[in-house]
């Protein structure tokens, strides 16, 4: 696509998931950016507790599914299995859904899939998936008209046609742009459809999407499209060398019965509090105090305002009561 002008959705799709795409690189996402999964094993422990709550709501079925959507290199699925009580782990069927090849040394209990399994009974967990579902980008031109932004492989941009049809309807409903030249929006229609498809794969249980997010009362005026390479934010260049991401309009994705909450609230409900251990423990059990202090620091990072704690959780029950409701 070197000299072709494409919409951002098509350009990012090829750059991220094509034969030489970013998500097929051997180092995996962890080589370029750090998610909650990589920040602390406390995150996998919290997801394991959530899976146990779903298990109880389902009546402890003979087979309990855990699906790690956009699994990276399977870190979350492996961490959840390790954190589950033995009785629950024995009934759990773990799936990792990812376009890249199965990594060597991954727990054999984890089935590696290129797409979602069907009729899931359990928990579908999508951590930082939707922000990498490519979207079209719109920008207001000098006449006040939103137009699609076209891009070449080197990252150069120009404006294309007026935003058409369903995309224009989505903008009007979820991210209306004032007639001011240069204002931008990411059109989340493809994400709404992707999430609806993921939820449709759940027969009974819970679907959760966790991501950088914004809602209709606080849309960013110039969008959020960006790139990440080797731990640093960079220009979003669709050549396969960097991640291309944009925050998610999770309120637009939400289906009937869903709830939105901040990661700090979800994790605190699941036991990740960040409370410091009592100082007296330092003199009676110094090694335990050091471990507890390190755990408190990790919990604080996962729940921090201005950081990971601001992530949105979209919680979608399917055929069961919301198992987090009583906890929050």
């Amino acid at each position: 696509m070197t000299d072709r002008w494409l919409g951002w959705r098509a350009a990012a799709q090829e750059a991220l998931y094509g034969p030489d795409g970013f998500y097929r690189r051997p180092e995996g996402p962890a080589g370029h950016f750090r998610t909650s999964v990589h920040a602390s094993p406390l995150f996998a422990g919290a997801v394991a507790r959530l899976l146990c709550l779903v298990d109880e709501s389902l009546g402890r079925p003979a087979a309990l599914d855990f699906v790690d959507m956009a699994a990276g290199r399977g870190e979350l699925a492996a961490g959840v299995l390790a954190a589950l009580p033995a009785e629950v782990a024995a009934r759990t069927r773990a799936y990792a859904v990812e376009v890249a090849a199965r990594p060597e040394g991954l727990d054999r209990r984890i089935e590696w899939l290129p797409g979602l399994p069907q009729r899931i009974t359990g928990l579908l967990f999508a951590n930082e998936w939707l922000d990498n579902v490519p979207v079209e980008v719109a920008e207001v031109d000098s006449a006040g008209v939103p137009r699609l932004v076209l891009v070449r492989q080197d990252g150069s941009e120009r404006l294309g046609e007026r935003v058409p049809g369903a995309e224009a309807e989505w903008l009007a409903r979820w991210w209306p742009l004032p007639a001011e030249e240069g204002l931008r929006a990411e059109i989340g229609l493809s994400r709404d459809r992707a999430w609806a498809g993921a939820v449709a794969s759940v027969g009974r249980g819970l679907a959760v999407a966790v991501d950088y997010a914004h809602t209709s009362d606080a849309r960013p005026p110039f969008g959020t499209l960006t790139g990440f390479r080797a731990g640093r934010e960079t220009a979003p260049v669709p050549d396969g060398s960097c991640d291309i991401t944009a925050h998610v309009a999770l309120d637009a994705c939400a289906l009937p019965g869903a709830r939105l909450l901040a990661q700090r609230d979800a994790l605190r409900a699941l036991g990740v509090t960040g409370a410091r251990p009592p100082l007296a423990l330092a003199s009676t059990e110094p090694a335990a105090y050091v471990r507890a202090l390190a755990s408190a620091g990790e919990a604080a990072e996962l729940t921090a305002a201005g950081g990971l704690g601001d992530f949105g959780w979209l919680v979608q029950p399917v055929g069961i009561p919301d198992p987090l409701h009583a906890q929050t």
Side-chain angles (χ1 to χ4, degrees):
M1 59 165 279
T2 305
D3 297 320
R4 289 185 292 156
W5 290 100
L6 297 175
W8 264 108
R9 183 182 177 193
Q13 182 70 33
E14 178 67 17
L16 295 177
Y17 304 113
D20 299 313
F22 175 82
Y23 278 98
R24 298 185 188 275
R25 293 167 65 104
E27 70 272 19
H32 295 270
F33 52 86
R34 190 164 176 260
T35 71
S36 297
V37 177
H38 309 122
S40 171
L42 293 174
F43 189 79
V47 176
R49 285 190 285 278
L50 179 58
L51 180 59
C52 289
L53 292 175
V54 172
D55 184 41
E56 292 175 12
S57 294
L58 290 168
R60 297 183 176 84
L64 177 68
D65 297 325
F66 175 68
V67 180
D68 180 6
M69 183 65 193
R73 294 303 177 263
E75 299 96 334
L76 179 60
V80 167
L81 285 177
L84 286 173
E87 186 277 327
V88 180
R91 292 185 286 110
T92 298
R93 301 182 298 196
Y95 303 92
V97 180
E98 183 56 72
V99 298
R102 181 188 182 96
E104 294 183 6
L106 184 66
D107 191 320
R108 293 181 179 179
R109 293 175 293 174
I110 300 171
E111 185 173 351
W112 196 262
L113 299 174
L116 281 164
Q118 296 301 306
R119 302 304 298 173
I120 296 163
T121 301
L123 174 60
L124 164 68
F125 201 86
N127 186 60
E128 295 196 44
W129 167 49
L130 289 174
D131 69 298
N132 291 126
V133 172
V135 291
E136 297 291 4
V137 177
E139 181 176 319
V140 179
D141 69 10
S142 58
V145 176
R147 296 187 177 276
L148 294 178
V149 178
L150 306 182
V151 63
R152 291 196 303 193
Q153 193 177 48
D154 63 3
S156 57
E157 293 181 337
R158 68 173 176 85
L159 297 187
E161 65 173 324
R162 178 193 292 260
V163 176
E167 286 84 2
E169 292 174 7
W170 189 96
L171 271 184
R173 168 67 179 86
W174 292 107
W175 197 333
L177 287 169
E180 182 179 332
E181 185 176 7
L183 295 183
R184 289 173 68 129
E186 290 104 25
I187 303 173
L189 182 63
S190 55
R191 292 170 173 175
D192 297 357
R193 290 170 173 169
W195 181 242
V199 172
S201 71
V202 180
R204 288 184 69 225
L206 189 70
V208 178
V210 180
D211 239 307
Y212 299 96
H214 47 67
T215 53
S216 58
D217 58 344
R219 302 287 190 221
F222 300 103
T224 61
L225 187 72
T226 191
F228 284 93
R229 181 189 296 114
R232 295 178 180 273
E233 189 168 7
T234 186
V237 178
D239 62 359
S241 68
C242 67
D243 185 29
I244 297 172
T245 177
H247 294 196
V248 183
L250 278 179
D251 51 344
C253 295
L255 298 168
R259 267 204 312 154
L260 281 171
L261 61 161
Q263 172 154 298
R264 71 178 61 84
D265 297 324
L267 291 184
R268 286 170 181 163
L270 293 167
V272 180
T273 64
R276 293 172 64 89
L279 190 58
L281 190 64
S283 56
T284 58
E285 296 183 64
Y289 177 78
V290 170
R291 289 194 299 272
L293 196 61
S295 179
E298 293 173 3
E301 181 183 3
L302 289 172
T303 58
L308 295 174
D310 289 345
F311 272 50
W313 280 44
L314 174 57
V315 179
Q316 181 76 57
V318 180
I320 63 170
D322 179 354
L324 265 179
H325 184 73
Q327 314 296 317
T328 56

